[in-house]
């Protein structure tokens, strides 16, 4: 029996129905379901909105709202975890990783406590609020923290699987979600495992590794464009940033001409940096990164508009893939391409 079968979705939440909601909405429903069956699970809120209507109304004894006070949110959650509870702490990603970084670093990660930080508005999904709400440095920060597991689901359905997997995972877990509904990536439940990426498409020419809802969606779109040119691109959904799926990356380095990474994050320190660290140390290959350049995004706009302005697009992925392949045409590591 697969992990997905071990933890089935509830009868009222069929897989298809999950995609009618945002990842945030799916998380709220799954968290309430988990908390009904385990009184140790607490919802710790920072006035994010929504939990008071369902979770607090049904399980008031397992709900705490600290208000807009992110440092207190994580400090209190660490205390609850130290007392044997399993707190899910909720805020926006930019606030969890900057405003409350000291508490995340010392209280939660430093003490290896089972706090589940569920951070919404990741990447540029809160672009309409302006640069104060952009979360494009968060993965770089999170990767440096000891003990911390970092999950970035690609869609609403995978969010359900990730929240279930995180509920009783040892140590602290950070789940990075977006804000709005995004395209469906996974069309049915699968054997979701923390630390094991999901290969969405096979290919032996190059590998596209992406993390986050729209980056993964763009990676799939780029694969279709490349296929029209006779190029077979392997697509990997790297839903776990820490621990990284080293085996999948080393297979890509050995079996294809190189890797293109895609993320809604700065080039520095995010997925592209993590992938480069792995392959440069263990199986050097070409890596091209599609992310946000070293610049301050001071504009207000829709998530897709801001990503396009930053150069995170299907066309950019295709361009980087072709650039990666061109010098490799005579020395492709895959014998079938020689």
């Amino acid at each position: 029996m697969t992990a997905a079968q071990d933890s089935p979705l509830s009868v009222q939440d069929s897989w298809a129905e999950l995609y009618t909601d945002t990842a945030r909405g799916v998380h709220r429903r799954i968290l309430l379901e988990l908390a009904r069956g385990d009184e140790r699970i607490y919802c710790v809120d920072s006035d994010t909105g929504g939990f008071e209507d369902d979770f607090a109304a049904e399980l008031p004894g397992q709900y705490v709202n600290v208000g807009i006070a992110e440092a207190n949110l994580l400090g209190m959650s660490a205390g609850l975890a130290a007392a044997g509870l399993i707190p899910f702490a909720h805020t926006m990603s930019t606030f969890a990783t900057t405003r409350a970084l000291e508490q995340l670093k010392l209280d939660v990660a430093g003490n290896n406590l089972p706090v589940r930080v569920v951070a919404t508005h990741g990447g540029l999904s809160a672009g309409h609020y302006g640069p104060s709400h952009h979360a494009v440095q968060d993965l770089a920060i999170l990767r440096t923290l000891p003990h911390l597991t970092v999950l970035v689901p690609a869609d609403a359905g995978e969010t359900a699987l990730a929240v279930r997997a995180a509920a009783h995972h040892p140590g602290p877990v950070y789940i990075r979600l977006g804000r709005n509904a995004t395209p469906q990536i996974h069309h049915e439940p699968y054997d979701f495992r923390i630390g094991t990426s999901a290969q969405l498409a096979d290919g032996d020419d190059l590998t596209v590794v992406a993390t986050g809802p729209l980056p993964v969606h763009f990676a799939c779109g780029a694969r279709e464009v490349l296929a029209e040119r006779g190029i077979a691109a392997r697509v990997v959904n790297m839903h776990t940033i820490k621990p990284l799926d080293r085996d999948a990356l080393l297979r890509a380095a050995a079996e294809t001409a190189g890797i293109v990474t895609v993320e809604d994050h700065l080039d520095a320190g995010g997925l592209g940096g993590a992938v480069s660290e792995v392959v440069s140390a263990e199986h050097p290959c070409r890596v091209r990164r599609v992310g946000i350049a070293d610049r301050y995004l001071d504009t207000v706009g829709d998530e897709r508009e801001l990503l396009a302005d930053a150069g995170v697009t299907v066309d950019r992925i295709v361009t980087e893939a072709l650039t990666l392949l061109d010098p490799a045409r005579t020395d492709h590591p895959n014998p079938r391409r020689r």
Side-chain angles (χ1 to χ4, degrees):
M1 182 175 287
T2 66
Q5 291 171 323
D6 288 337
S7 301
L9 302 176
S10 63
V11 174
Q12 67 269 25
D13 291 329
S14 71
W15 187 258
E17 288 172 339
L18 283 170
Y19 293 104
T20 65
D21 203 350
T22 63
R24 294 187 298 161
V26 167
H27 164 66
R28 286 199 296 267
R29 298 207 309 270
I30 298 299
L31 179 61
L32 179 56
E33 180 185 320
L34 291 170
R36 289 185 188 121
D38 189 341
E39 62 183 12
R40 296 173 300 164
I41 293 179
Y42 269 57
C43 174
V44 189
D45 194 8
S46 60
D47 240 5
T48 55
F51 288 110
E52 66 278 3
D53 297 327
D54 42 41
F55 197 108
E58 182 174 337
L59 300 174
Q62 292 167 249
Y63 175 79
V64 180
N65 190 346
V66 304
I68 303 176
E70 290 80 6
N72 190 34
L73 171 80
L74 294 185
M76 179 180 291
S77 296
L80 292 172
L85 301 176
I86 305 174
F88 280 72
H90 301 87
T91 184
M92 297 185 186
S93 196
T94 187
F95 302 143
T97 54
T98 55
R99 185 176 296 171
L101 176 56
E102 183 175 15
Q103 286 70 30
L104 182 60
K105 179 181 75 171
L106 298 178
D107 298 349
V108 177
N111 287 300
N112 197 19
L113 290 169
V115 175
R116 286 74 177 95
V117 182
V118 182
T120 61
H121 298 70
L124 294 170
S125 61
H128 58 293
Y129 289 139
S132 64
H133 285 60
H134 296 171
V136 294
Q137 301 91 0
D138 52 348
L139 297 180
I141 293 168
L142 296 167
R143 289 182 57 226
T144 68
L145 301 181
H147 310 303
L148 186 65
T149 294
V150 183
L151 305 179
V152 188
D155 60 16
E158 193 169 62
T159 296
L161 300 178
V163 172
R164 290 181 180 281
H168 298 287
H169 189 72
V173 181
Y174 189 103
I175 305 177
R176 184 194 201 239
L177 304 179
R179 179 182 184 273
N180 301 312
T182 54
Q184 179 179 349
I185 303 297
H186 297 280
H187 297 275
E188 60 184 3
Y190 75 97
D191 190 10
F192 179 95
R193 295 179 185 275
I194 291 174
T196 301
S197 60
Q199 183 170 313
L200 303 179
D202 197 13
D204 60 6
D205 286 327
L206 77 149
T207 302
V208 182
V209 179
T211 192
L214 289 182
V216 173
H217 175 61
F218 294 161
C220 294
R223 180 185 183 276
E224 295 178 2
V225 176
L226 291 167
E228 294 174 356
R229 296 171 175 253
I231 298 170
R234 181 179 305 180
V235 178
V236 175
N237 165 22
M238 193 63 70
H239 56 66
T240 305
I241 295 297
K242 187 179 179 184
L244 209 61
D245 188 348
R246 305 173 74 87
D247 291 341
L249 295 176
L250 295 177
R251 285 196 301 272
E255 297 169 1
T256 69
I259 299 171
V260 178
T261 62
V262 191
E263 58 192 311
D264 53 353
H265 187 277
L266 290 173
D267 283 333
L271 173 67
V275 169
S276 297
E277 291 169 13
V278 171
V279 299
S280 65
E282 302 186 42
H283 199 300
C285 73
R286 295 177 177 86
V287 177
R288 306 288 298 185
R289 292 184 288 176
V290 175
I292 300 168
D294 185 15
R295 54 178 285 207
Y296 183 66
L297 298 174
D298 57 356
T299 54
V300 177
D302 172 79
E303 180 180 12
R304 288 177 182 259
E305 294 173 348
L306 293 178
L307 286 172
D309 181 57
V312 182
T313 64
V314 170
D315 288 345
R316 169 86 183 284
I317 298 169
V318 171
T319 297
E320 295 296 340
L322 296 175
T323 301
L324 182 150
L325 284 174
D326 185 59
R329 288 299 181 178
T330 59
D331 63 346
H332 197 288
N334 187 334
R336 288 174 290 175
R337 292 290 299 173
R338 288 178 182 168

